[in-house]
Amino acid sequence: DAKTTQPTSMDCAEGRAANLPCNHSTISGNEYVYWYRQIHSQGPQYIIHGLKNNETNEMASLIITEDRKSSTLILPHATLRDTAVYYCIVRGTLRRSGNTPLVFGKGTRLSVIA
Amino acid sequence: EPEVTQTPSHQVTQMGQEVILRCVPISNHLYFYWYRQILGQKVEFLVSFYNNEISEKSEIFDDQFSVERPDGSNFTLKIRSTKLEDSAMYFCASSGGGAHEQFFGPGTRLTVL
């Protein structure tokens, strides 16, 4: 699976949009971009994933560049409860059994400030 | 909303003892995983399980570890003879396969004394 690069930490004012970047320049055509977050020592929480097109759900939006070499996770109105470590993970799925594991990096520690 | 559950939330054991960590995946999921996170470190993949057999395992998952799906609902991780370095949070996850997202449980904190 392709390697990802994320900033170590970011701050965001409460109520503002949080834009978390991720570089994945070696991504291949069958690899998806996933975003998870981990609040303190809780289990990682799925946020969103995409292949080529931009995606939006109730939690966030995912913007993937046309060349797919980078992406941005957008939390439109950050709250204090969004303070967490955010992981960008590139994951292929075309294995025999289709259940490829997630490879977590160090992620971005987002601090939402009141 | 369906969720992955894990028991116990905290397990304390003596070095050399066997422990079994339990997970109940989401009911219609077919793929199951164990990950661990040593305090202050990254989340690491241990093993994946599908169709009653191990699909993939990492270097961490040595002969001291085993997994089992003893019935239609539980998924267990056994550590045969615990070491101090096994102290970590252990997370179970399940998914519907393919590009489907993995859902994680709240974790079991294992402390080996």
Side-chain angles (χ1 to χ4, degrees):
Chain A
D1 294 329
K3 182 178 166 56
T4 63
T5 305
Q6 297 178 253
T8 303
S9 63
M10 291 181 65
D11 291 339
C12 177
E14 190 178 19
R16 304 297 293 269
N19 297 289
L20 292 92
C22 179
N23 285 322
H24 31 80
S25 58
T26 59
I27 193 169
S28 59
N30 66 332
E31 290 181 319
Y32 289 75
V33 179
Y34 289 79
W35 283 83
Y36 282 76
R37 72 181 182 184
Q38 189 175 26
I39 296 172
H40 195 43
S41 295
Q42 297 177 23
Q45 179 188 20
Y46 166 79
I47 301 173
I48 199 166
H49 76 282
L51 183 63
K52 295 181 188 176
N53 300 320
N54 298 336
E55 302 287 344
T56 295
N57 63 20
E58 64 278 2
M59 287 183 71
S61 295
L62 173 60
I63 308 298
I64 303 174
T65 58
E66 197 168 333
D67 63 8
R68 302 186 69 237
K69 293 186 177 181
S70 65
S71 60
T72 301
L73 178 75
I74 301 172
L75 308 178
H77 305 288
T79 70
L80 297 178
R81 286 178 294 182
D82 292 321
T83 293
V85 179
Y86 286 77
Y87 300 100
C88 169
I89 300 170
V90 169
R91 173 181 178 244
T93 60
L94 296 181
R95 295 192 189 179
R96 180 177 58 83
S97 58
N99 58 340
T100 51
L102 295 167
V103 178
F104 288 83
K106 295 184 178 178
T108 295
R109 183 171 297 279
L110 175 69
S111 298
V112 180
I113 302 165
Chain B
E1 186 175 321
E3 58 183 18
V4 177
T5 59
Q6 291 186 242
T7 54
S9 56
H10 192 185
Q11 173 93 47
V12 180
T13 190
Q14 295 290 326
M15 191 169 55
Q17 295 296 303
E18 175 185 287
V19 295
I20 297 175
L21 310 182
R22 291 183 167 79
C23 168
V24 178
I26 294 173
S27 63
N28 61 344
H29 283 180
L30 301 175
Y31 301 87
F32 315 109
Y33 316 81
W34 283 101
Y35 294 79
R36 80 170 186 191
Q37 186 175 32
I38 295 171
L39 185 64
Q41 297 188 22
K42 296 187 280 188
V43 177
E44 301 173 288
F45 166 72
L46 292 178
V47 66
S48 57
F49 192 86
Y50 168 70
N51 200 25
N52 285 318
E53 62 182 20
I54 290 174
S55 301
E56 192 168 343
K57 59 184 180 179
S58 71
E59 291 177 355
I60 303 168
F61 194 87
D62 61 22
D63 292 344
Q64 292 300 313
F65 291 88
S66 62
V67 288
E68 194 178 32
R69 188 154 161 81
D71 53 43
S73 59
N74 289 286
F75 180 51
T76 62
L77 174 69
K78 182 194 290 186
I79 309 175
R80 211 177 323 275
S81 176
T82 50
K83 309 185 194 73
L84 295 176
E85 54 264 37
D86 293 328
S87 294
M89 284 290 288
Y90 288 80
F91 297 109
C92 173
S94 69
S95 75
H100 292 187
E101 57 272 29
Q102 295 180 22
F103 291 91
F104 285 75
T108 293
R109 180 174 298 283
L110 176 65
T111 302
V112 182
L113 302 176

